[in-house]
Amino acid sequence: MTAVPAPPSLSEPPARRGGRWIEHWDPEDPVFWREGGERIARRNLWLSVLAEHVGFSVWTLWSVMVLFMGPEYGVDPAGKFFLISAATLVGALVRVPYTFAVARFGGRNWTVVSASLLLLPALLAWLVMEPGTPYAAFLAVALLTGLGGGNFASSMTNINAFFPLRHKGWALGLNAGGGNLGVPVVQLLGLAVIAWAGAGHPRLVLGVYLPLIVLAAVLCAFRMDNLATVRGDTGAAREAAADRHTWIMALLYTGTFGSFIGYGFAFGLVLQTQFGRTPLQAASLTFLGPLLGSLTRPLGGRLADRWGGARITLATFLAMAAATLVAVAASLSLSLPAFLAAFTALFVLSGLGNGSTYKMIPGIFDARARAAGLTGEAAAARARRLSGAAMGLTGAVGALGGLAINLAFRQSFATLGSGTAAYVTFLAFYAVCSAVTWAVYVRPGARS
């Protein structure tokens, strides 16, 4: 059930009916875009960024909560890694139904619902965050915070339908980058609370997000729009799943977004476990990498618009492999400055790669539609239809990469007492992603 645009007539202005539904939408038509389409699309983009931003903050909440969990909580490092892994897992799995909810309920309607649902894990976290709470309660709430990870998939699918192909790299990069900023923002808030009130007051973090969740839901309810041209279509998911490029892009997105979200969840805990940082010291360092990675995501989309997503993605993976080599050396020598430099580079590069890989998806399906003999709006409609479904599948698999990273860290620390084995595994994976990108999309024969 994903986006299937109905055939529009050219150059008509956006036509509305009740309930904030837009009847006619044709962003590929320059006149339509200039005479109202762009303004509406941008308004929906900024509100989507807000809702997705709060969703990412709730999803990554436990990367901050574990910094407040001192010895009195009775949870060892392996247990803390498992909590953040649980949130990552749910965030990945719900991305598939969240993607298709846009076509079923409308982009504006589902944004309001998905934002409102975040109140549940935030309120429950308020209740359980104190010493003596059973581990099962922490785990249950961590699982519920995974709902925030689904907001990304529905948000990207919705914004994909609003923008023309020539602007998708920028729009999708900005939408995702603004959402990704929820990771460093919640970590900065955690740092501020620990520095000001100490590690015994995690509820202050939650006290900030509860009203923000309400604000995001209310603004989206009054200012966002649904596209009536989006129809439920169960066949699009099957077609996208049957296309090998969906799964190739899922692999590449696992290397970029999986790295971003996996490192974002685990970074502070690694600093505490391997480098002996206090909660305050760890919190003061964890936000910078996710912040830079979020800010570079729109840049990755913009570079992909100009130079091609495959070229930018390949360069990103090669650079990520080089940064991981530095992380291996830093882990072996316990050099904190080298480790911080390597991980900061990995966050920046994963942000660039996030933007470039998501730009590739609509471009690939547009090219395949035209190769099948379609032209004009028919080709654009098929590309939007399949790329929307592919984004949901790709986003879900990519988020599972974050789960794999946290499980790799957990196993590496449990068996060896350091993260070195995990870094070596990541290095091998980046090498595979580089080879696949070059073979399928970059080498001259493949590009033709």
Side-chain angles (χ1 to χ4, degrees):
M1 292 172 287
T2 190
V4 182
S9 58
L10 293 179
S11 302
E12 295 180 8
R16 292 183 176 275
R17 60 180 168 91
R20 297 202 67 88
W21 286 87
I22 296 177
E23 292 286 350
H24 166 69
W25 191 257
D26 181 17
E28 302 296 342
D29 174 24
V31 176
F32 174 92
W33 186 249
R34 184 175 62 252
E35 295 184 355
E38 182 177 13
R39 175 178 54 82
I40 293 171
R42 285 177 178 268
R43 186 184 69 240
N44 280 269
L45 171 61
W46 293 118
L47 290 168
S48 177
V49 166
L50 172 63
E52 188 188 339
H53 176 95
V54 176
F56 260 96
S57 293
V58 172
W59 186 24
T60 55
L61 182 65
W62 283 92
S63 70
V64 175
M65 291 295 103
V66 295
L67 299 179
F68 289 91
M69 297 172 70
E72 67 275 14
Y73 281 79
V75 182
D76 63 11
K80 293 177 183 178
F81 274 116
F82 194 73
L83 288 176
I84 59 179
S85 299
T88 311
L89 173 63
V90 174
L93 295 179
V94 299
R95 286 185 167 197
V96 175
Y98 269 54
T99 297
F100 305 130
V102 171
R104 177 66 178 84
F105 301 105
R108 170 261 191 187
N109 294 348
W110 184 249
T111 301
V112 174
V113 170
S114 60
S116 301
L117 285 174
L118 300 177
L119 286 171
L120 178 61
L123 286 169
L124 290 176
W126 178 285
L127 294 176
V128 304
M129 277 306 297
E130 59 183 27
T133 299
Y135 184 79
F138 290 130
L139 181 59
V141 179
L143 288 167
L144 284 173
T145 59
L147 292 175
N151 290 18
F152 169 85
S154 55
S155 178
M156 294 293 277
T157 300
N158 186 42
I159 294 304
N160 181 60
F162 272 97
F163 282 82
L165 180 62
R166 63 188 180 277
H167 294 313
K168 284 187 189 291
W170 171 82
L172 294 175
L174 189 62
N175 186 58
N180 291 171
L181 277 172
V183 180
V185 167
V186 73
Q187 292 172 344
L188 274 171
L189 180 59
L191 167 63
V193 170
I194 292 172
W196 175 61
H201 298 83
R203 289 187 174 95
L204 292 177
V205 176
L206 300 164
V208 172
Y209 274 97
L210 286 168
L212 279 179
I213 293 169
V214 175
L215 176 64
V218 170
L219 287 177
C220 291
F222 283 98
R223 296 296 293 160
M224 285 190 76
D225 301 288
N226 300 301
L227 295 182
T229 50
V230 174
R231 299 286 184 252
D233 179 14
T234 57
R238 290 194 297 270
E239 288 186 57
D243 193 305
R244 71 186 184 103
H245 289 280
T246 298
W247 301 108
I248 294 171
M249 292 309 303
L251 172 72
L252 302 185
Y253 196 61
T254 298
T256 58
F257 180 76
S259 296
F260 174 84
I261 199 64
Y263 296 149
F265 270 100
F267 192 29
L269 199 49
V270 170
L271 289 172
Q272 283 188 285
T273 305
Q274 185 167 358
F275 291 92
R277 301 296 95 180
T278 66
L280 179 58
Q281 290 170 331
S284 67
L285 296 170
T286 53
F287 73 92
L288 181 60
L291 174 62
L292 294 175
S294 301
L295 294 176
T296 57
R297 182 159 187 161
L299 176 60
R302 182 70 82 182
L303 291 173
D305 283 339
R306 181 173 178 83
W307 301 105
R311 293 189 183 96
I312 302 301
T313 299
L314 175 58
T316 295
F317 279 127
L318 293 173
M320 290 177 74
T324 307
L325 279 173
V326 177
V328 171
S331 179
L332 292 172
S333 63
L334 289 180
S335 171
L336 181 58
F339 181 81
L340 292 174
F343 258 70
T344 300
L346 284 169
F347 276 114
V348 170
L349 292 165
S350 67
L352 288 172
N354 284 338
S356 63
T357 50
Y358 248 72
K359 163 64 179 180
M360 290 172 67
I361 295 172
I364 287 170
F365 283 99
D366 182 77
R368 290 176 69 74
R370 296 180 189 283
L374 299 177
T375 59
E377 175 57 24
R382 179 171 176 79
R384 285 196 297 269
R385 172 177 177 259
L386 294 183
S387 63
M391 283 179 178
L393 298 172
T394 299
V397 176
L400 286 173
L403 171 66
I405 281 178
N406 285 295
L407 292 178
F409 274 128
R410 181 179 185 274
Q411 186 63 33
S412 183
F413 280 106
T415 56
L416 301 176
S418 77
T420 304
Y423 308 135
V424 172
T425 303
F426 306 152
L427 175 62
F429 186 71
Y430 297 145
V432 170
C433 290
S434 299
V436 170
T437 305
W438 180 83
V440 180
Y441 298 116
V442 177
R443 66 184 178 90
R447 287 172 57 200
S448 65

